[in-house]
Amino acid sequence: MPPALLLAGGEVLDPAQGLRQRLDVACCDGRVAALGRDLPRDGHEVIDVSGKLVVPGLIDQHAHCFIGASDLGVRTDEICASTGVTTFIDGGSAGAGTFEGMREFILSRSRVRILAFLNISAVGLTYLEVGELNHLAYADADAAARVAREHRDLILGIKVRQQKEVVGDAGLEPLRRAIRAAESAGGLRVMVHVTNPAAPLEDLLTLLRPGDIVSHFLHGRGDGILGEKGKVKAGVREARRRGVLFDVAHGRSHVNFPVARAAIEQGFFPDTISSDLTSGGAARIVKDLPTTLSKFLNLGMPLEDVVRAATATPARAIGREGELGTLKPGAAADVAVFDLEEGAFDFEDADGHTLAGRRRLAPYLTVKDGQLWWRRAP
Ligand SMILES: [Zn+2]
């Protein structure tokens, strides 16, 4: 058995526990064993992380892993280890017709914990040039519900892209089918992509239920969250009051800094901040989840809220609170350690705007299931 691990003297920031102070973190048998000042060191491999920020292993609530069998996808272990991501949620790369393959060839072979939303389109995201819902028969609610039940250990909900170019003239019917599939699979959530939506956003939001997730809510294409005079629309605030969650899901084309700044200035923070990482996005503006988090830090969100949006809140959104996204003793021993660097850093959005930042989260070390997974080379 590998030795127990002790991360000593870092600044622990765990929003799930309302905690921000200098503490040691002890990990044993894959679990957080203890959190405290000057914990006993005997029998532990000790790593000094003083001066660094220690947070729960990050949960990327929307990214893409199905490399080689969908149009999107990254080599998850390589990118997650070096960015503090210990839980990776696939945002609908596979549908009922392809999920078995994603399970066998990706999910079961990855060290990072991967969970998934199943695309309502049976073909998933195999060929984006056409769009998975232009042929509506692919939106097979019965097949999606069956596959979601069969893979209930890994499938968290149903994904649907309600973008004009994706649904053709089907309007909101794909979303209705996704909700039907989620309900018939046993009360699962729906994740809906709203960039350039095929119906007014507020109409779309009225269909959503508490716990459903709006992806890409800060996009700059087509009907969005801002109404007259740049105010967050009443229907958007009303959806949040009902328990609908708003996720960033940055991706190659879904974050617009002026929209994000307006939302943040009006106190409409993202519930969750995810990367929507794809191979194209990793190479260009998205880069990774810590870069995405750093953008929101520089847009004016406090550090605690930024960390909460990639730990405690996504854990709750997927029904794993207490187990993931926290350093509470007994939780999975997934830990991410960062340097909070100060300097001059430029960030880009999807629409050609730049942001001159002064702070950034630089990954230093990642622990997965109580074992050192990655550490920045000296
Ligand atoms: Zn996506």
Side-chain angles (χ1 to χ4, degrees):
M1 179 169 298
L5 190 68
L6 191 112
L7 301 175
E11 185 188 3
V12 172
L13 173 52
D14 182 4
Q17 302 186 74
L19 200 67
R20 184 172 184 178
Q21 54 179 288
R22 196 178 160 176
L23 294 171
D24 296 344
V25 183
C27 307
C28 190
D29 296 336
R31 299 274 136 190
V32 177
L35 204 56
R37 277 180 191 275
D38 305 318
L39 293 176
R41 300 185 169 215
D42 45 306
H44 288 79
E45 178 192 347
V46 178
I47 301 178
D48 178 15
V49 290
S50 50
K52 311 214 180 273
L53 186 69
V54 178
V55 305
L58 302 181
I59 301 171
D60 197 341
Q61 187 172 267
H62 182 153
H64 292 274
C65 72
F66 204 7
I67 196 162
S70 72
D71 270 1
L72 308 170
V74 291
R75 294 192 189 282
T76 52
D77 281 350
E78 281 172 28
I79 199 151
C80 291
S82 62
T83 57
V85 175
T86 51
T87 300
F88 181 107
I89 299 174
D90 186 89
S93 301
T98 58
F99 188 81
E100 187 85 47
M102 192 168 86
R103 176 173 193 130
E104 171 154 359
F105 299 113
I106 309 283
L107 276 55
S108 68
R109 299 178 189 201
S110 298
R111 184 158 172 195
V112 65
R113 178 185 300 99
I114 307 184
L115 301 165
F117 278 77
L118 182 74
N119 204 304
I120 187 61
S121 172
V123 298
L125 302 179
T126 47
Y127 191 63
L128 295 177
E129 286 296 312
V130 174
E132 69 278 9
L133 291 165
N134 272 292
H135 182 49
L136 191 58
Y138 283 139
D140 184 337
D142 293 336
R146 177 174 42 79
V147 169
R149 276 194 300 270
E150 282 168 10
H151 300 274
R152 189 62 210 265
D153 56 330
L154 297 175
I155 292 177
L156 300 166
I158 307 295
K159 169 75 184 292
V160 58
R161 294 204 304 152
Q162 271 297 151
Q163 184 172 329
K164 266 183 193 157
E165 299 88 327
V166 175
V167 303
D169 53 13
L172 291 172
E173 178 59 16
L175 174 57
R176 290 197 182 88
R177 294 189 190 186
I179 292 170
R180 200 189 320 146
E183 283 173 353
S184 106
L188 297 184
R189 31 189 103 58
V190 163
M191 175 186 278
V192 54
H193 163 127
V194 300
T195 302
N196 197 21
L201 179 65
E202 288 175 295
D203 293 353
L204 183 160
L205 293 176
T206 60
L207 297 181
L208 300 184
R209 309 151 308 154
D212 287 340
I213 298 164
V214 176
S215 284
H216 320 303
F217 79 107
L218 299 174
H219 71 80
R221 291 174 54 205
D223 195 37
I225 60 165
L226 302 180
E228 275 178 43
K229 296 183 186 153
K231 295 280 177 228
V232 174
K233 291 173 180 169
V236 173
R237 291 195 182 273
E238 168 55 24
R240 170 166 281 178
R241 265 193 296 279
R242 287 189 293 113
V244 171
L245 297 167
F246 290 82
D247 183 38
V248 169
H250 192 311
R252 287 168 294 182
S253 47
H254 312 300
V255 167
N256 176 286
F257 284 154
V259 174
R261 191 174 278 118
I264 288 167
E265 278 171 7
Q266 293 170 59
F268 199 88
F269 288 3
D271 290 296
T272 51
I273 301 175
S274 62
S275 68
D276 191 12
L277 199 62
T278 61
S279 46
R284 287 193 55 248
I285 58 164
V286 184
K287 294 190 177 69
D288 53 39
L289 184 58
T291 303
T292 306
L293 297 177
S294 300
K295 292 179 183 180
F296 285 84
L297 200 56
N298 287 292
L299 282 165
M301 266 178 84
L303 180 64
E304 284 85 350
D305 292 316
V306 168
V307 172
R308 179 182 295 110
T311 57
T313 306
R316 200 174 68 233
I318 63 170
R320 308 285 165 106
E321 54 192 314
E323 162 72 9
L324 303 178
T326 179
L327 297 174
K328 208 172 178 170
D334 294 347
V335 192
V337 180
F338 294 92
D339 282 308
L340 186 55
E341 295 181 342
E342 307 224 340
F345 312 107
D346 283 342
F347 298 98
E348 286 177 84
D349 73 358
D351 299 321
H353 305 102
T354 55
L355 170 68
R358 288 182 294 106
R359 293 191 293 170
R360 117 180 134 182
L361 288 165
Y364 175 70
L365 173 158
T366 307
V367 171
K368 172 75 175 35
D369 291 320
Q371 293 179 39
L372 181 62
W373 189 19
W374 173 86
R375 188 177 190 172
R376 192 199 306 153

